[in-house]
Amino acid sequence: MKVRLIERGAAKEDSREILVDQAEFLIGRGVDCNLRLPISSVSRHHCLIRLSPDEATVVDLGSSNGTYLNENQVRSPTALHTGDVLKVGTRRYTVDLGDQPGLSRTSLDSIAPTVKVKSVRRKDKQA
């Protein structure tokens, strides 16, 4: 399984891919992390991606601000799927498990979930 985390930048050329190349891939602020995020909202050992021959899962390691998958807080080991959006602190990564041949960074944008925010209508004040 070839797992990548894709972080989209403000411009297309600012995007980057992080290869998850360990059976246990640690994400956090600590110097011993596989993906080090020196951000105050990220715990020293924030979350862990575990790879097995059959699946990839994410586990929150008791982080202060939580780990989110598709806007839902990860409370127990949760399976990852291509197109999922993983949020760690202020960073967002689109998951690519390599299970869809020919999938590009651009096409991942189209399968990542879109979250609609309800707009609030303001009533005009009457004099």
Side-chain angles (χ1 to χ4, degrees), residues 47-107:
C47 64
L48 184 69
I49 295 177
R50 285 197 175 115
L51 303 179
S52 74
D54 300 339
E55 70 177 350
T57 57
V58 63
V59 179
D60 182 77
L61 299 175
S63 64
S64 298
N65 295 308
T67 301
Y68 292 83
L69 188 63
N70 301 324
E71 302 299 329
N72 297 308
Q73 189 167 6
V74 174
R75 298 190 186 277
S76 60
T78 304
L80 295 171
H81 304 286
T82 294
D84 283 348
V85 176
L86 179 66
K87 182 180 172 209
V88 179
T90 57
R91 300 282 177 91
R92 292 179 185 274
Y93 302 94
T94 302
V95 176
D96 177 12
L97 300 181
D99 55 353
Q100 296 181 20
L103 197 62
S104 69
R105 193 181 307 162
T106 309
S107 60

Short mmCIF file of all heavy atoms in Angstrom, two decimals, residues 47-107:
data_model
loop_
_atom_site.label_atom_id
_atom_site.label_comp_id
_atom_site.label_asym_id
_atom_site.label_seq_id
_atom_site.Cartn_x
_atom_site.Cartn_y
_atom_site.Cartn_z
N CYS A 47 -1.04 12.30 16.57
CA CYS A 47 -1.78 11.15 16.06
C CYS A 47 -0.83 10.19 15.35
O CYS A 47 0.33 10.52 15.09
CB CYS A 47 -2.92 11.56 15.13
SG CYS A 47 -2.40 12.37 13.60
N LEU A 48 -1.34 9.01 15.05
CA LEU A 48 -0.54 7.95 14.46
C LEU A 48 -1.32 7.34 13.30
O LEU A 48 -2.51 7.04 13.45
CB LEU A 48 -0.26 6.88 15.52
CG LEU A 48 0.64 5.73 15.16
CD1 LEU A 48 2.08 6.20 14.99
CD2 LEU A 48 0.58 4.68 16.26
N ILE A 49 -0.64 7.18 12.17
CA ILE A 49 -1.25 6.43 11.06
C ILE A 49 -0.61 5.05 11.08
O ILE A 49 0.62 4.92 11.07
CB ILE A 49 -1.01 7.13 9.71
CG1 ILE A 49 -1.73 8.48 9.69
CG2 ILE A 49 -1.47 6.24 8.56
CD1 ILE A 49 -1.52 9.29 8.43
N ARG A 50 -1.45 4.03 11.14
CA ARG A 50 -0.98 2.64 11.15
C ARG A 50 -1.30 2.00 9.81
O ARG A 50 -2.45 2.08 9.34
CB ARG A 50 -1.65 1.84 12.26
CG ARG A 50 -1.12 2.16 13.61
CD ARG A 50 -1.51 1.08 14.62
NE ARG A 50 -0.87 1.36 15.88
CZ ARG A 50 -1.50 1.68 16.99
NH1 ARG A 50 -2.81 1.73 17.00
NH2 ARG A 50 -0.83 1.92 18.10
N LEU A 51 -0.31 1.34 9.24
CA LEU A 51 -0.50 0.66 7.97
C LEU A 51 -0.43 -0.84 8.18
O LEU A 51 0.44 -1.34 8.89
CB LEU A 51 0.60 1.06 6.97
CG LEU A 51 0.74 2.55 6.65
CD1 LEU A 51 1.87 2.75 5.66
CD2 LEU A 51 -0.55 3.10 6.11
N SER A 52 -1.36 -1.54 7.56
CA SER A 52 -1.32 -3.00 7.51
C SER A 52 -1.48 -3.36 6.04
O SER A 52 -1.79 -2.49 5.22
CB SER A 52 -2.45 -3.59 8.36
OG SER A 52 -3.70 -3.43 7.73
N PRO A 53 -1.29 -4.61 5.68
CA PRO A 53 -1.46 -4.97 4.26
C PRO A 53 -2.86 -4.67 3.72
O PRO A 53 -3.05 -4.41 2.55
CB PRO A 53 -1.18 -6.47 4.24
CG PRO A 53 -0.34 -6.72 5.43
CD PRO A 53 -0.80 -5.74 6.46
N ASP A 54 -3.87 -4.66 4.62
CA ASP A 54 -5.26 -4.49 4.20
C ASP A 54 -5.81 -3.08 4.32
O ASP A 54 -6.74 -2.72 3.60
CB ASP A 54 -6.17 -5.42 5.01
CG ASP A 54 -5.81 -6.87 4.84
OD1 ASP A 54 -5.15 -7.21 3.83
OD2 ASP A 54 -6.16 -7.67 5.72
N GLU A 55 -5.30 -2.30 5.28
CA GLU A 55 -5.89 -0.99 5.50
C GLU A 55 -4.93 -0.03 6.18
O GLU A 55 -3.89 -0.43 6.70
CB GLU A 55 -7.17 -1.10 6.34
CG GLU A 55 -6.94 -1.49 7.78
CD GLU A 55 -8.23 -1.52 8.60
OE1 GLU A 55 -9.28 -1.07 8.11
OE2 GLU A 55 -8.15 -1.98 9.74
N ALA A 56 -5.32 1.23 6.18
CA ALA A 56 -4.62 2.28 6.91
C ALA A 56 -5.62 2.86 7.91
O ALA A 56 -6.79 3.06 7.58
CB ALA A 56 -4.14 3.35 5.95
N THR A 57 -5.16 3.09 9.12
CA THR A 57 -6.03 3.68 10.14
C THR A 57 -5.31 4.86 10.78
O THR A 57 -4.09 4.96 10.76
CB THR A 57 -6.40 2.66 11.25
OG1 THR A 57 -5.20 2.16 11.83
CG2 THR A 57 -7.23 1.53 10.70
N VAL A 58 -6.11 5.76 11.36
CA VAL A 58 -5.56 6.88 12.11
C VAL A 58 -6.06 6.76 13.55
O VAL A 58 -7.20 6.37 13.80
CB VAL A 58 -5.94 8.25 11.49
CG1 VAL A 58 -7.44 8.49 11.51
CG2 VAL A 58 -5.21 9.38 12.18
N VAL A 59 -5.16 7.08 14.50
CA VAL A 59 -5.47 7.02 15.92
C VAL A 59 -5.02 8.33 16.55
O VAL A 59 -3.88 8.75 16.35
CB VAL A 59 -4.70 5.85 16.60
CG1 VAL A 59 -4.99 5.80 18.09
CG2 VAL A 59 -5.00 4.53 15.94
N ASP A 60 -5.91 8.99 17.28
CA ASP A 60 -5.52 10.18 18.02
C ASP A 60 -4.80 9.72 19.28
O ASP A 60 -5.20 8.74 19.91
CB ASP A 60 -6.76 11.01 18.39
CG ASP A 60 -6.37 12.27 19.13
OD1 ASP A 60 -5.92 13.22 18.46
OD2 ASP A 60 -6.49 12.29 20.37
N LEU A 61 -3.72 10.39 19.64
CA LEU A 61 -2.91 9.97 20.80
C LEU A 61 -3.18 10.84 22.02
O LEU A 61 -2.27 11.13 22.79
CB LEU A 61 -1.42 10.01 20.41
CG LEU A 61 -1.04 9.08 19.27
CD1 LEU A 61 0.42 9.29 18.88
CD2 LEU A 61 -1.30 7.63 19.64
N GLY A 62 -4.44 11.23 22.20
CA GLY A 62 -4.80 12.06 23.35
C GLY A 62 -4.37 13.50 23.18
O GLY A 62 -4.07 14.19 24.15
N SER A 63 -4.39 13.96 21.94
CA SER A 63 -3.97 15.33 21.63
C SER A 63 -4.89 16.35 22.30
O SER A 63 -6.05 16.08 22.57
CB SER A 63 -3.96 15.56 20.12
OG SER A 63 -5.28 15.46 19.60
N SER A 64 -4.34 17.52 22.56
CA SER A 64 -5.10 18.59 23.22
C SER A 64 -6.24 19.10 22.35
O SER A 64 -7.33 19.37 22.84
CB SER A 64 -4.19 19.77 23.55
OG SER A 64 -3.20 19.36 24.44
N ASN A 65 -6.00 19.26 21.05
CA ASN A 65 -6.99 19.85 20.16
C ASN A 65 -7.68 18.86 19.24
O ASN A 65 -8.49 19.26 18.40
CB ASN A 65 -6.34 20.97 19.34
CG ASN A 65 -5.89 22.10 20.23
OD1 ASN A 65 -6.67 22.61 21.03
ND2 ASN A 65 -4.63 22.48 20.14
N GLY A 66 -7.39 17.59 19.37
CA GLY A 66 -8.07 16.57 18.59
C GLY A 66 -7.53 16.41 17.19
O GLY A 66 -6.87 17.27 16.63
N THR A 67 -7.84 15.24 16.62
CA THR A 67 -7.54 14.90 15.24
C THR A 67 -8.90 14.73 14.57
O THR A 67 -9.81 14.13 15.16
CB THR A 67 -6.75 13.58 15.17
OG1 THR A 67 -5.54 13.74 15.91
CG2 THR A 67 -6.43 13.19 13.74
N TYR A 68 -9.04 15.25 13.36
CA TYR A 68 -10.34 15.20 12.68
C TYR A 68 -10.20 14.52 11.33
O TYR A 68 -9.23 14.75 10.60
CB TYR A 68 -10.89 16.63 12.50
CG TYR A 68 -11.28 17.24 13.82
CD1 TYR A 68 -10.33 17.84 14.63
CD2 TYR A 68 -12.59 17.17 14.27
CE1 TYR A 68 -10.68 18.37 15.86
CE2 TYR A 68 -12.94 17.71 15.49
CZ TYR A 68 -11.99 18.30 16.29
OH TYR A 68 -12.35 18.82 17.51
N LEU A 69 -11.16 13.69 11.00
CA LEU A 69 -11.23 13.03 9.71
C LEU A 69 -12.58 13.38 9.10
O LEU A 69 -13.63 13.06 9.69
CB LEU A 69 -11.08 11.51 9.87
CG LEU A 69 -10.96 10.72 8.58
CD1 LEU A 69 -9.70 11.12 7.81
CD2 LEU A 69 -10.93 9.23 8.87
N ASN A 70 -12.55 14.10 7.99
CA ASN A 70 -13.78 14.56 7.33
C ASN A 70 -14.65 15.34 8.30
O ASN A 70 -15.86 15.14 8.38
CB ASN A 70 -14.54 13.39 6.71
CG ASN A 70 -13.72 12.66 5.69
OD1 ASN A 70 -12.93 13.26 4.96
ND2 ASN A 70 -13.85 11.35 5.65
N GLU A 71 -14.01 16.22 9.08
CA GLU A 71 -14.67 17.11 10.05
C GLU A 71 -15.22 16.40 11.28
O GLU A 71 -15.86 17.03 12.12
CB GLU A 71 -15.77 17.96 9.38
CG GLU A 71 -15.28 18.81 8.24
CD GLU A 71 -14.22 19.84 8.62
OE1 GLU A 71 -14.25 20.35 9.76
OE2 GLU A 71 -13.36 20.12 7.78
N ASN A 72 -15.00 15.09 11.42
CA ASN A 72 -15.45 14.34 12.60
C ASN A 72 -14.24 14.03 13.47
O ASN A 72 -13.22 13.56 12.98
CB ASN A 72 -16.12 13.03 12.19
CG ASN A 72 -17.38 13.27 11.39
OD1 ASN A 72 -18.25 14.03 11.80
ND2 ASN A 72 -17.46 12.66 10.23
N GLN A 73 -14.38 14.27 14.77
CA GLN A 73 -13.26 14.01 15.68
C GLN A 73 -12.98 12.52 15.76
O GLN A 73 -13.90 11.70 15.89
CB GLN A 73 -13.54 14.56 17.07
CG GLN A 73 -12.33 14.50 17.96
CD GLN A 73 -12.48 15.31 19.23
OE1 GLN A 73 -13.55 15.84 19.52
NE2 GLN A 73 -11.42 15.40 19.99
N VAL A 74 -11.71 12.16 15.67
CA VAL A 74 -11.28 10.76 15.76
C VAL A 74 -11.22 10.40 17.24
O VAL A 74 -10.45 10.98 17.99
CB VAL A 74 -9.89 10.57 15.09
CG1 VAL A 74 -9.38 9.16 15.31
CG2 VAL A 74 -9.97 10.92 13.61
N ARG A 75 -12.07 9.45 17.65
CA ARG A 75 -12.13 9.05 19.06
C ARG A 75 -11.63 7.63 19.27
O ARG A 75 -11.37 7.22 20.40
CB ARG A 75 -13.55 9.19 19.58
CG ARG A 75 -14.03 10.63 19.51
CD ARG A 75 -15.34 10.81 20.24
NE ARG A 75 -15.89 12.13 20.06
CZ ARG A 75 -15.55 13.19 20.77
NH1 ARG A 75 -14.61 13.09 21.67
NH2 ARG A 75 -16.11 14.36 20.55
N SER A 76 -11.50 6.87 18.19
CA SER A 76 -10.98 5.51 18.25
C SER A 76 -10.30 5.24 16.91
O SER A 76 -10.45 6.04 15.97
CB SER A 76 -12.13 4.52 18.49
OG SER A 76 -13.07 4.60 17.44
N PRO A 77 -9.55 4.15 16.78
CA PRO A 77 -8.89 3.87 15.49
C PRO A 77 -9.93 3.91 14.36
O PRO A 77 -10.97 3.28 14.44
CB PRO A 77 -8.32 2.47 15.67
CG PRO A 77 -8.11 2.35 17.15
CD PRO A 77 -9.24 3.12 17.77
N THR A 78 -9.63 4.71 13.33
CA THR A 78 -10.58 4.94 12.24
C THR A 78 -9.91 4.66 10.91
O THR A 78 -8.80 5.13 10.66
CB THR A 78 -11.07 6.40 12.28
OG1 THR A 78 -11.62 6.66 13.58
CG2 THR A 78 -12.13 6.67 11.23
N ALA A 79 -10.59 3.89 10.07
CA ALA A 79 -10.04 3.53 8.75
C ALA A 79 -9.95 4.76 7.85
O ALA A 79 -10.84 5.61 7.87
CB ALA A 79 -10.91 2.47 8.09
N LEU A 80 -8.87 4.83 7.09
CA LEU A 80 -8.68 5.90 6.11
C LEU A 80 -9.07 5.40 4.73
O LEU A 80 -8.86 4.22 4.41
CB LEU A 80 -7.21 6.33 6.09
CG LEU A 80 -6.69 6.98 7.36
CD1 LEU A 80 -5.18 7.16 7.28
CD2 LEU A 80 -7.37 8.31 7.59
N HIS A 81 -9.61 6.29 3.91
CA HIS A 81 -9.99 5.99 2.53
C HIS A 81 -9.47 7.10 1.63
O HIS A 81 -9.36 8.25 2.06
CB HIS A 81 -11.51 5.88 2.40
CG HIS A 81 -12.11 4.88 3.33
ND1 HIS A 81 -12.00 3.53 3.14
CD2 HIS A 81 -12.81 5.06 4.48
CE1 HIS A 81 -12.61 2.91 4.13
NE2 HIS A 81 -13.12 3.81 4.95
N THR A 82 -9.19 6.75 0.39
CA THR A 82 -8.76 7.76 -0.57
C THR A 82 -9.79 8.88 -0.65
O THR A 82 -10.99 8.61 -0.76
CB THR A 82 -8.53 7.12 -1.95
OG1 THR A 82 -7.42 6.21 -1.82
CG2 THR A 82 -8.21 8.15 -3.01
N GLY A 83 -9.32 10.12 -0.57
CA GLY A 83 -10.20 11.28 -0.63
C GLY A 83 -10.59 11.82 0.73
O GLY A 83 -11.11 12.94 0.82
N ASP A 84 -10.33 11.06 1.81
CA ASP A 84 -10.60 11.57 3.15
C ASP A 84 -9.74 12.79 3.42
O ASP A 84 -8.64 12.92 2.89
CB ASP A 84 -10.27 10.51 4.22
CG ASP A 84 -11.32 9.42 4.34
OD1 ASP A 84 -12.42 9.58 3.77
OD2 ASP A 84 -11.03 8.40 4.99
N VAL A 85 -10.24 13.69 4.27
CA VAL A 85 -9.48 14.86 4.67
C VAL A 85 -9.13 14.72 6.15
O VAL A 85 -10.02 14.63 7.00
CB VAL A 85 -10.25 16.17 4.40
CG1 VAL A 85 -9.46 17.36 4.92
CG2 VAL A 85 -10.53 16.31 2.92
N LEU A 86 -7.83 14.68 6.42
CA LEU A 86 -7.30 14.56 7.78
C LEU A 86 -6.86 15.93 8.25
O LEU A 86 -6.09 16.62 7.57
CB LEU A 86 -6.10 13.59 7.77
CG LEU A 86 -5.40 13.36 9.09
CD1 LEU A 86 -6.33 12.63 10.07
CD2 LEU A 86 -4.12 12.56 8.87
N LYS A 87 -7.37 16.36 9.41
CA LYS A 87 -7.01 17.67 9.96
C LYS A 87 -6.23 17.47 11.25
O LYS A 87 -6.71 16.81 12.18
CB LYS A 87 -8.26 18.51 10.23
CG LYS A 87 -7.92 19.89 10.75
CD LYS A 87 -9.18 20.70 11.00
CE LYS A 87 -8.80 22.00 11.70
NZ LYS A 87 -9.87 22.50 12.53
N VAL A 88 -5.03 18.03 11.27
CA VAL A 88 -4.15 17.98 12.44
C VAL A 88 -3.76 19.43 12.74
O VAL A 88 -3.08 20.06 11.94
CB VAL A 88 -2.90 17.14 12.16
CG1 VAL A 88 -1.99 17.10 13.37
CG2 VAL A 88 -3.28 15.72 11.73
N GLY A 89 -4.25 19.95 13.86
CA GLY A 89 -4.02 21.36 14.14
C GLY A 89 -4.68 22.19 13.06
O GLY A 89 -5.85 22.00 12.74
N THR A 90 -3.91 23.08 12.46
CA THR A 90 -4.45 23.93 11.38
C THR A 90 -4.16 23.36 10.00
O THR A 90 -4.53 23.97 9.00
CB THR A 90 -3.83 25.34 11.47
OG1 THR A 90 -2.40 25.23 11.40
CG2 THR A 90 -4.24 26.03 12.77
N ARG A 91 -3.52 22.22 9.93
CA ARG A 91 -3.14 21.62 8.65
C ARG A 91 -4.18 20.61 8.19
O ARG A 91 -4.73 19.86 8.99
CB ARG A 91 -1.78 20.92 8.75
CG ARG A 91 -0.65 21.82 9.15
CD ARG A 91 -0.18 22.65 7.97
NE ARG A 91 0.86 23.57 8.31
CZ ARG A 91 2.16 23.30 8.24
NH1 ARG A 91 2.57 22.14 7.83
NH2 ARG A 91 3.03 24.23 8.58
N ARG A 92 -4.43 20.59 6.88
CA ARG A 92 -5.37 19.65 6.27
C ARG A 92 -4.64 18.85 5.20
O ARG A 92 -3.92 19.42 4.39
CB ARG A 92 -6.53 20.39 5.62
CG ARG A 92 -7.42 21.08 6.61
CD ARG A 92 -8.56 21.82 5.89
NE ARG A 92 -9.34 22.56 6.82
CZ ARG A 92 -10.37 22.05 7.51
NH1 ARG A 92 -10.73 20.81 7.32
NH2 ARG A 92 -11.04 22.80 8.35
N TYR A 93 -4.88 17.54 5.21
CA TYR A 93 -4.25 16.65 4.25
C TYR A 93 -5.32 15.77 3.60
O TYR A 93 -6.17 15.22 4.29
CB TYR A 93 -3.23 15.73 4.95
CG TYR A 93 -2.16 16.50 5.68
CD1 TYR A 93 -2.29 16.79 7.03
CD2 TYR A 93 -1.03 16.94 5.01
CE1 TYR A 93 -1.32 17.51 7.70
CE2 TYR A 93 -0.05 17.66 5.67
CZ TYR A 93 -0.20 17.94 7.01
OH TYR A 93 0.76 18.66 7.67
N THR A 94 -5.24 15.64 2.29
CA THR A 94 -6.10 14.72 1.58
C THR A 94 -5.37 13.39 1.51
O THR A 94 -4.19 13.34 1.16
CB THR A 94 -6.43 15.23 0.16
OG1 THR A 94 -7.04 16.52 0.28
CG2 THR A 94 -7.38 14.29 -0.56
N VAL A 95 -6.07 12.31 1.84
CA VAL A 95 -5.48 10.98 1.89
C VAL A 95 -5.53 10.32 0.52
O VAL A 95 -6.56 10.37 -0.15
CB VAL A 95 -6.23 10.09 2.93
CG1 VAL A 95 -5.71 8.67 2.93
CG2 VAL A 95 -6.18 10.71 4.31
N ASP A 96 -4.43 9.71 0.12
CA ASP A 96 -4.38 8.90 -1.11
C ASP A 96 -3.75 7.57 -0.74
O ASP A 96 -2.59 7.51 -0.35
CB ASP A 96 -3.55 9.61 -2.19
CG ASP A 96 -3.41 8.78 -3.46
OD1 ASP A 96 -4.13 7.77 -3.60
OD2 ASP A 96 -2.57 9.14 -4.29
N LEU A 97 -4.53 6.51 -0.83
CA LEU A 97 -4.05 5.18 -0.48
C LEU A 97 -3.42 4.46 -1.67
O LEU A 97 -2.98 3.32 -1.53
CB LEU A 97 -5.19 4.32 0.08
CG LEU A 97 -5.86 4.85 1.35
CD1 LEU A 97 -6.94 3.89 1.81
CD2 LEU A 97 -4.84 5.09 2.46
N GLY A 98 -3.41 5.11 -2.81
CA GLY A 98 -2.81 4.49 -3.99
C GLY A 98 -3.67 3.37 -4.55
O GLY A 98 -3.19 2.56 -5.34
N ASP A 99 -4.93 3.32 -4.15
CA ASP A 99 -5.82 2.25 -4.60
C ASP A 99 -6.62 2.62 -5.85
O ASP A 99 -7.42 1.84 -6.33
CB ASP A 99 -6.77 1.83 -3.48
CG ASP A 99 -7.58 2.99 -2.92
OD1 ASP A 99 -7.30 4.15 -3.30
OD2 ASP A 99 -8.45 2.74 -2.08
N GLN A 100 -6.39 3.82 -6.35
CA GLN A 100 -7.07 4.25 -7.57
C GLN A 100 -6.01 4.68 -8.57
O GLN A 100 -5.57 5.83 -8.57
CB GLN A 100 -8.04 5.41 -7.26
CG GLN A 100 -9.15 4.96 -6.32
CD GLN A 100 -10.13 6.07 -6.03
OE1 GLN A 100 -10.22 7.06 -6.75
NE2 GLN A 100 -10.88 5.92 -4.95
N PRO A 101 -5.53 3.73 -9.41
CA PRO A 101 -4.45 4.03 -10.34
C PRO A 101 -4.76 5.25 -11.22
O PRO A 101 -5.90 5.47 -11.62
CB PRO A 101 -4.35 2.77 -11.21
CG PRO A 101 -5.04 1.71 -10.43
CD PRO A 101 -6.06 2.39 -9.57
N GLY A 102 -3.72 6.04 -11.46
CA GLY A 102 -3.89 7.20 -12.32
C GLY A 102 -4.49 8.39 -11.62
O GLY A 102 -4.76 9.41 -12.23
N LEU A 103 -4.70 8.29 -10.31
CA LEU A 103 -5.29 9.40 -9.56
C LEU A 103 -4.23 10.46 -9.36
O LEU A 103 -3.12 10.19 -8.94
CB LEU A 103 -5.76 8.89 -8.19
CG LEU A 103 -6.73 9.74 -7.43
CD1 LEU A 103 -8.02 9.93 -8.20
CD2 LEU A 103 -7.03 9.11 -6.09
N SER A 104 -4.56 11.69 -9.70
CA SER A 104 -3.60 12.79 -9.56
C SER A 104 -4.00 13.68 -8.41
O SER A 104 -5.10 13.59 -7.89
CB SER A 104 -3.55 13.61 -10.85
OG SER A 104 -4.76 14.30 -11.01
N ARG A 105 -3.12 14.58 -8.06
CA ARG A 105 -3.40 15.55 -7.00
C ARG A 105 -4.64 16.36 -7.35
O ARG A 105 -5.47 16.65 -6.51
CB ARG A 105 -2.18 16.46 -6.85
CG ARG A 105 -2.20 17.28 -5.62
CD ARG A 105 -1.01 18.17 -5.53
NE ARG A 105 0.22 17.42 -5.67
CZ ARG A 105 1.39 17.98 -5.96
NH1 ARG A 105 1.48 19.26 -6.15
NH2 ARG A 105 2.47 17.24 -6.06
N THR A 106 -4.78 16.72 -8.62
CA THR A 106 -5.93 17.52 -9.06
C THR A 106 -7.23 16.73 -8.92
O THR A 106 -8.23 17.25 -8.46
CB THR A 106 -5.75 17.95 -10.53
OG1 THR A 106 -4.47 18.54 -10.65
CG2 THR A 106 -6.81 18.93 -10.93
N SER A 107 -7.21 15.46 -9.32
CA SER A 107 -8.45 14.68 -9.24
C SER A 107 -8.83 14.38 -7.80
O SER A 107 -9.99 14.18 -7.50
CB SER A 107 -8.35 13.40 -10.06
OG SER A 107 -7.31 12.58 -9.58
#
